[in-house]
Structures are given as C-alpha cells and as structure tokens.
C-alpha cells in the first residue's frame, strides 16, 4: 500500500495498492530462469499489470552464455505534469507511459568470471510518451509509439592481479512517433575505467572516461527546435583506502580537466569538482 502527497499542496495525493511476485530457478545445466509480475491499482490511474522474464542458457562448457530478457513497465506522470508548477501548466488528462522491451545477447568468459565480453541487442516500444509543448507550457501524451533499438557492449579484463580494465558502449536509435530524433537520448555513449589496487587491495585508484556523441535537445529559445549538442569527453579520478576494517576514506576529482560540456541546452554541467568522504560502519 502506498500513500504519497505533494509537499506543496497536501490536497494532491495518490493512494494505491500493489501485489508482486518473483520466481527464480537454476537448472542442472546451469541455466537460470526468472519470472516476475506486478499488479497495481490506485485512485487516479487504471489498474496496471507489468511482467518480466529472463533466461540465461550456458553454452560451450559454460564459457559462453545466451541471454534473453523481456518485460513491461509503467511510469505515472509527476505531480507537476498533472497539476502544474511555477514553470508549467498542468494536464489532468495525462496517462501513464507504457513500455515493452525485448533484448537478446551473448556473454563470453575468458579464463574466469572476471574476464568477459558481452553483447546485447535490444528493442523497446513506448506508448503514451509524455512530451512537452513549449508554446503552451504543458505536457501531453504522444499519439502512437516511440521506438528505440540499439546495441550494448560490455567488457572487463584483469590483465594483472591488481589491475582491472572495464568499459561499456551503447548505440541507440530513439525516435518519436513522427520519426523525429528523441531528445536527450545520445546515439553514442562510451564509458571506460582503469583501476589499480594496492596495499593488499586495501586501496584503489581509478581513472574513468565518458564519451557522449550525437545528443539532441530542444533549443532553449524560440522556435524551440531540436538541435545537436556538442560532443564531449570527460575524465574522473577516484581513489579510496580502507584505513581499518570498519573505516575508509574516498577522494574524487570529477571532470578532471575542467571540460565545458552540457547535456541540456542552456544548462552548463559542473566544472572540476573535488570530493572527500569518510565512512565507518559498526
């Protein structure tokens, strides 16, 4: 049971009940099955039934695995989208977004579970997508389906006992029902990291890189057309050390080279930032 209220207006609230189950089983051939479902009803939207199925089938003496995943999801509109806010008008007729996704992939292990390459192709279909009318300053549901498809690559290698190299790449084609490119859905996303462990694995230092290319957003001035944002690459440096078994410190330099970049037109992302964290547990 859930009961949440808009902190700015206590009269705006949602009530609902949900029931969910999940079943997992591992078979003698080391294949694994996952099934799940959830049903929810509330005081504002229709009853929503979602489901998920996943299956892993080992091949070739367990060094290669076939991966399958499918499912549905529902996302309700926010309070601001329904009732309005200081910068937008509300729309009481908004419907929840619904998504159906399917993915198939292969995972290849090398020597151990810590060394692998994984490739996954996926396809999503989103209906009732909530978009924004900049002229009327109001959200609305798109008519038709927004389709997304692409490829994900993931890898990790441990060439030396103290060194781990990892990376992932996503190629995404996301389009609105009218065929236009979806905003804030970059075509190319690449992340990589080199990590070195020292002092008998009590400490580690990692350098990571992020590359974003062919990302579009609605330009923040009339006529509010969609324009391509500049591509960028940024680096982050992180280090941590376990001083005792229950006490550790972590330092991070985000945007190491103070790169000027933006994921949204009109909003520059943060420059070089420094963080120092101490943590204990008992």
């Amino acid at each position: 049971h859930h009961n949440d209220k808009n902190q700015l207006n206590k009269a705006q609230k949602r009530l609902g009940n949900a029931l969910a189950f999940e079943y997992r089983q591992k078979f003698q051939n080391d294949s694994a099955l996952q099934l799940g479902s959830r049903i929810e009803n509330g005081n504002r939207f229709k009853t929503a039934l979602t489901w998920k199925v996943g299956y892993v089938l080992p091949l070739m003496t367990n060094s290669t695995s076939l991966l399958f995943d499918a499912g549905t999801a529902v996302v309700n509109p926010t309070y601001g989208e329904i009732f309005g806010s200081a910068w937008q008008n509300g729309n009481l007729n908004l419907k929840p977004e619904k998504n159906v996704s399917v993915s198939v992939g292969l995972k290849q292990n090398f020597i151990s579970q810590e060394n692998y390459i994984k490739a996954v192709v996926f396809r999503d279909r989103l209906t009732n997508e909530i978009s924004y009318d900049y002229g009327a300053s109001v959200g609305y549901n798109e008519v038709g389906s927004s389709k997304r498809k692409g490829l994900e690559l993931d890898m990790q290698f441990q060439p030396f006992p103290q060194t781990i190299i990892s990376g992932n790449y996503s190629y995404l084609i996301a389009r609105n029902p009218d065929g236009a490119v979806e905003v804030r859905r970059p075509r190319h996303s690449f992340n990589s990291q080199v990590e070195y462990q020292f002092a008998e694995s009590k400490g580690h230092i990692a350098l990571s890189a992020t590359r974003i290319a062919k990302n579009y957003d609605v330009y923040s001035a009339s006529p509010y057309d969609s324009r391509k944002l500049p591509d960028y690459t940024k680096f982050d440096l992180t280090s941590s050390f376990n001083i005792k078994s229950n006490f550790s410190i972590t330092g991070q330099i985000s945007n190491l080279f103070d790169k000027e970049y933006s994921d949204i037109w009109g909003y520059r992302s943060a420059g070089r930032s420094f963080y120092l964290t101490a943590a204990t547990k008992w």
Side-chain angles (χ1 to χ4, degrees), residues 67-235:
L67 314 173
F68 174 79
D69 188 272
T72 59
V74 173
V75 179
N76 293 330
T78 65
Y79 280 112
E81 291 170 337
I82 297 175
F83 300 107
S85 63
W87 56 86
Q88 72 180 76
N89 297 315
N91 184 352
L92 298 175
N93 297 318
L94 282 178
K95 300 177 181 179
E97 296 179 328
K98 299 180 180 180
N99 189 65
V100 180
S101 65
V102 177
S103 67
V104 179
L106 285 173
K107 182 179 180 181
Q108 177 67 52
N109 293 326
F110 300 92
I111 303 175
S112 66
Q113 297 290 335
E114 287 74 26
N115 299 272
Y116 65 85
I117 295 178
K118 182 171 67 174
V120 177
V121 292
F122 62 89
R123 189 178 186 92
D124 292 3
R125 182 171 61 87
L126 179 66
T127 56
N128 293 334
E129 181 181 8
I130 298 176
S131 295
Y132 190 72
D133 185 336
Y134 287 85
S137 298
V138 66
Y140 67 95
N141 290 109
E142 292 271 10
V143 177
S145 301
S146 299
K147 299 178 181 179
R148 298 103 189 275
K149 59 183 178 180
L151 168 71
E152 293 181 343
L153 301 176
D154 190 16
M155 57 81 73
Q156 178 177 290
F157 291 99
Q158 193 168 5
F160 307 105
Q162 295 83 18
T163 305
I164 300 175
I165 301 173
S166 59
N168 60 76
Y169 167 74
S170 295
Y171 175 79
L172 173 65
I173 299 176
R175 298 190 180 278
N176 292 317
D178 61 1
V181 176
E182 281 269 14
V183 299
R184 302 179 188 177
R185 302 291 188 274
R187 178 68 58 90
H188 305 281
S189 302
F190 177 74
N191 297 279
S192 62
Q193 178 175 282
V194 178
E195 178 183 351
Y196 178 74
Q197 299 175 350
F198 57 91
E200 298 180 345
S201 297
K202 293 181 180 179
H204 97 286
I205 184 169
L207 177 66
S208 59
T210 300
R211 172 71 176 175
I212 301 295
K214 294 196 71 173
N215 190 21
Y216 289 78
D217 189 28
V218 176
Y219 198 65
S220 55
S222 181
Y224 303 111
D225 58 336
S226 180
R227 301 185 186 182
K228 179 181 173 298
L229 288 154
D231 302 339
Y232 69 86
T233 302
K234 77 177 186 73
F235 295 85

Side-chain angles (χ1 to χ4, degrees), residues 242-260:
N242 296 324
I243 298 176
K244 294 183 177 179
S245 60
N246 64 340
F247 183 74
S248 63
I249 57 173
T250 301
Q252 181 182 17
I253 305 176
S254 180
N255 195 359
L256 180 62
F257 299 111
D258 201 23
K259 175 71 175 178
E260 290 189 15

